[in-house]
Amino acid sequence: MGDTPPSHEFQPIFDEIAQVQKIVRRFLEEHTHHIPHDQDRIRLELPLMEKTAEVISKKWAIQILWVLEIKKDMIFNEMSRFLTGISTRSLSDTLKMLEKQGLIVRTVEETRPPKVHYALSEYGKGFVEIAMLLVFYCNRDEL
């Protein structure tokens, strides 16, 4: 990524990202002294990253969460139409993983045939907010 200044339109977002970075750095500086040795810190913190890594590394997970952020509530077929290029198996597997992680809520509507609705959980809404900061950060040169 180059050192091109961001578009004026997105400057408030980048200012917010810079503020979040400062808060995270301050938190880490204040709390890392509780764990005296780097090896112990790695041993304790690495497992905490597994859940995040599973979500971020899963193809389509961020896109599914973002679509649910916009649409609020969707059934499987509607989501499949929005996300062109995803197989029904991959969509199903990713939705199961996101539900297992607590990021989405699955609700079955008792109709014939039953309709399954998906929506973001409160935890998922917070995750999307943080993910969008990452999206803007990673695409800052294009913005």
Side-chain angles (χ1 to χ4, degrees), residues 23-76:
I23 292 167
V24 170
R25 283 189 196 113
R26 189 175 323 118
F27 175 84
L28 291 173
E29 288 170 3
E30 290 173 2
H31 292 87
T32 54
H33 71 277
H34 295 295
I35 303 171
H37 193 272
D38 287 345
Q39 188 172 355
D40 292 336
R41 181 174 172 211
I42 290 169
R43 183 180 50 76
L44 290 169
E45 293 177 4
L46 205 53
L48 300 175
M49 302 200 185
E50 287 179 24
K51 188 181 275 191
T52 304
E54 182 177 356
V55 173
I56 290 175
S57 66
K58 180 78 171 174
K59 187 173 181 180
W60 296 103
I62 299 297
Q63 293 94 322
I64 290 169
L65 293 171
W66 182 242
V67 167
L68 287 173
E69 169 67 23
I70 294 168
K71 296 291 286 180
K72 306 300 182 216
D73 180 282
M74 295 181 81
I75 61 172
F76 186 91

Side-chain angles (χ1 to χ4, degrees), residues 2 33 37 70 80 87 91 94 96 109 140-141:
H33 71 277
H37 193 272
I70 294 168
S80 183
S87 69
L91 178 57
T94 306
K96 286 177 187 173
E109 186 179 331
R140 65 187 179 275
D141 289 344

Side-chain angles (χ1 to χ4, degrees), residues 5-18 132-133 135-137 139-143:
S7 165
H8 178 70
E9 175 183 3
F10 293 101
Q11 190 58 50
I13 293 169
F14 291 107
D15 292 344
E16 188 172 334
I17 291 170
M132 289 316 298
L133 289 174
V135 168
F136 276 96
Y137 185 80
N139 293 284
R140 65 187 179 275
D141 289 344
E142 288 79 30
L143 300 174

Side-chain angles (χ1 to χ4, degrees), residues 69-132:
E69 169 67 23
I70 294 168
K71 296 291 286 180
K72 306 300 182 216
D73 180 282
M74 295 181 81
I75 61 172
F76 186 91
N77 289 336
E78 182 184 15
M79 196 177 310
S80 183
R81 285 191 299 272
F82 266 88
L83 299 166
T84 57
I86 188 171
S87 69
T88 54
R89 166 110 186 196
S90 183
L91 178 57
S92 178
D93 289 348
T94 306
L95 287 168
K96 286 177 187 173
M97 183 272 298
L98 293 171
E99 182 183 15
K100 179 182 164 201
Q101 296 291 354
L103 295 168
I104 64 171
V105 177
R106 179 181 182 268
T107 309
V108 179
E109 186 179 331
E110 298 299 328
T111 59
R112 292 214 187 265
K115 284 186 181 177
V116 179
H117 293 263
Y118 297 93
L120 289 176
S121 67
E122 286 304 311
Y123 180 66
K125 290 174 186 176
F127 189 92
V128 169
E129 291 172 1
I130 294 167
M132 289 316 298

